[in-house]
Amino acid sequence: MPDQVKKPNHYFRYKIEPISFIMQNDIPYAEANAIKYLCRWRYKHLTKEKQLEDLHKAKQYIDILIEKETQDPDQLILKLGNK
């Protein structure tokens, strides 16, 4: 059985593992998480519900970036969840 902590199948199917790509390119947190969820959504989960959950997670990080980029820098307040 493969080691799902060190070599999860849903990431090692790529020529470059997402974490290596992210770290070698100094990709910031929100962008990195969107990449992570977009790379794994089809392969990590067996159910459509869980697959869509990963897409929603990726979208949340993209929405955070859009909100950050469209707000006045002096008024930057990111709204997460139901707050």
Side-chain angles (χ1 to χ4, degrees), residues 5-45:
V5 173
K6 292 183 182 178
K7 292 186 177 264
N9 291 332
H10 53 275
Y11 291 132
F12 275 84
R13 66 179 52 256
Y14 299 104
K15 291 181 181 181
I16 301 169
E17 185 186 8
I19 188 67
S20 296
F21 172 78
I22 289 164
M23 292 179 72
Q24 289 178 16
N25 290 286
D26 294 320
I27 296 179
Y29 183 82
E31 289 97 326
N33 274 301
I35 290 167
K36 172 184 77 169
Y37 287 119
L38 288 170
C39 287
R40 79 181 203 186
W41 78 273
R42 289 181 209 269
Y43 309 109
K44 182 173 182 183
H45 305 292

Side-chain angles (χ1 to χ4, degrees), residues 52-70:
L52 290 173
E53 187 176 290
D54 273 358
L55 288 177
H56 286 292
K57 288 176 183 178
K59 183 179 178 294
Q60 179 178 349
Y61 283 105
I62 293 168
D63 288 342
I64 288 168
L65 291 167
I66 291 169
E67 184 173 348
K68 176 182 175 280
E69 292 302 315
T70 57

Side-chain angles (χ1 to χ4, degrees), residues 32 34 75-76 78:
Q75 302 296 319
L76 182 62
L78 294 177

